[in-house]
């Protein structure tokens, strides 16, 4: 049953638009899932903030999914679902053993308030996010869409700021495997042809919020470079690598 709370986050409209069919592209990667589940420890009750369609939730725990988009919650397989934003969680203090948030803080309208709420309702916090200042950046940014750098730095708070606000005691790097199954933007660093698929791009909030007048010419340049072999010549070194650290980190706070 879905409960409702006032004041959903502004990201609602974006995910109401891109959320249809989201689960087909954004499939939980088992390696990231294992890291998240290990970090949640023995938590029996977990609130998943910005839950989306339910990726990375531990099967052994009782999970309450929170999301501001009804379209996303409708795809969530769980029975405990709450329509709400991270900044105003409708739960009592300490209601959960743990709180988790996966690739969602960039959408929160008030980051510090959301992190404070995360800490308020749980004794342990596990958060997966991205450092926008990490180098190297994805080749897509440097070679085709430099606009992405400014766009992502405007959305993502520097990792050090997030870690400090959350009072994280552990920060774990997560290099992205070449066959990463969760189709957000970085997943295809060694599979560039996937960026040509509009369905794949639609499942990325970054692409979904950028104007077509910017994205489409860049994709056409990529298409031409793939057809000519230019991309493969430039990135022969990447094709030999199993994973790359692109700045994705798991933060753990609390106890």
């Amino acid at each position: 049953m879905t409960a409702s709370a006032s004041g959903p986050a502004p990201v609602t409209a974006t995910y109401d638009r891109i959320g249809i069919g989201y689960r087909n592209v954004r499939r939980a990667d088992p390696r990231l899932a294992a890291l998240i589940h290990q970090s949640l420890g023995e938590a029996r009750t977990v609130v998943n903030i910005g839950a989306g369609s339910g990726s990375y939730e531990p099967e052994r725990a009782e999970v309450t999914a929170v999301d501001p988009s009804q379209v996303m919650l409708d795809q969530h397989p769980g029975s405990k679902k709450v329509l709400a934003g991270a900044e105003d969680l409708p739960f009592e203090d300490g209601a959960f053993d743990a709180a988790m948030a996966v690739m969602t803080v960039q959408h929160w309208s008030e980051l510090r308030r959301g992190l404070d709420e995360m800490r308020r309702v749980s004794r342990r916090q596990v958060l997966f996010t991205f450092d926008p200042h990490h180098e190297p950046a994805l080749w897509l940014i440097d070679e085709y869409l430099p606009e992405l750098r400014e766009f992502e730095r405007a959305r993502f708070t520097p990792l050090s700021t997030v870690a400090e606000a959350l009072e994280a005691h552990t920060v774990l790097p997560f290099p992205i495997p070449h066959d990463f199954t969760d189709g957000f933007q970085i997943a295809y660093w060694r599979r560039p042809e996937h960026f040509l698929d509009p369905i794949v791009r639609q499942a990325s909030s970054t692409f979904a919020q950028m104007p077509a007048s910017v994205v489409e010419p860049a994709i056409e340049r990529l298409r031409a470079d793939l057809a000519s072999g230019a991309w493969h010549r430039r990135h022969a070194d990447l094709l030999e690598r199993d994973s790359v650290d692109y700045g994705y980190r798991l933060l753990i706070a609390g106890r």
Side-chain angles (χ1 to χ4, degrees), residues 190-207:
R190 212 181 85 174
R191 296 170 288 167
E193 64 280 359
H194 286 268
F195 287 116
L196 306 182
D197 187 342
I199 295 176
V200 168
R201 297 198 304 273
Q202 182 71 8
S204 164
S205 62
T206 300
F207 278 113

Side-chain angles (χ1 to χ4, degrees), residues 129-164:
T129 189
F130 162 71
D131 184 357
H133 297 282
H134 180 86
E135 294 293 342
L138 179 66
W139 51 263
L140 185 72
I141 294 173
D142 291 333
E143 298 172 21
Y144 300 95
L145 272 171
E147 296 87 354
L148 276 176
R149 179 175 283 106
E150 181 179 351
F151 185 77
E152 293 204 328
R153 288 184 177 178
R155 294 201 311 157
F156 284 89
T157 302
L159 185 77
S160 58
T161 302
V162 178
E164 180 182 2

Side-chain angles (χ1 to χ4, degrees), residues 42 55 66 72 79 93 125 171 194 199 201 209 239 244 247:
E42 299 301 319
S55 296
V66 174
M72 298 306 298
S79 59
D93 294 359
Q125 299 82 42
V171 178
H194 286 268
I199 295 176
R201 297 198 304 273
Q209 293 180 76
L239 298 175
V244 176

Side-chain angles (χ1 to χ4, degrees), residues 26-41 46 48 54-61 63 100-103 126-128 172-177 179-182 184 248-250 252:
R26 301 295 298 272
R27 295 176 289 112
D29 185 89
R31 292 151 293 195
L32 178 55
L35 182 63
I36 291 172
H37 296 170
Q38 180 182 7
S39 301
L40 288 169
V46 175
N48 186 7
S55 296
Y56 303 109
E57 294 176 353
E59 293 181 0
R60 67 180 182 275
V63 178
M100 60 182 286
V102 178
M103 290 300 292
V126 175
L127 187 155
F128 184 67
L172 301 174
F174 183 77
I176 304 298
D179 55 353
F180 194 61
T181 62
D182 192 344
F184 56 87
Y248 288 81
R249 299 291 184 267
L250 189 75
I252 307 172

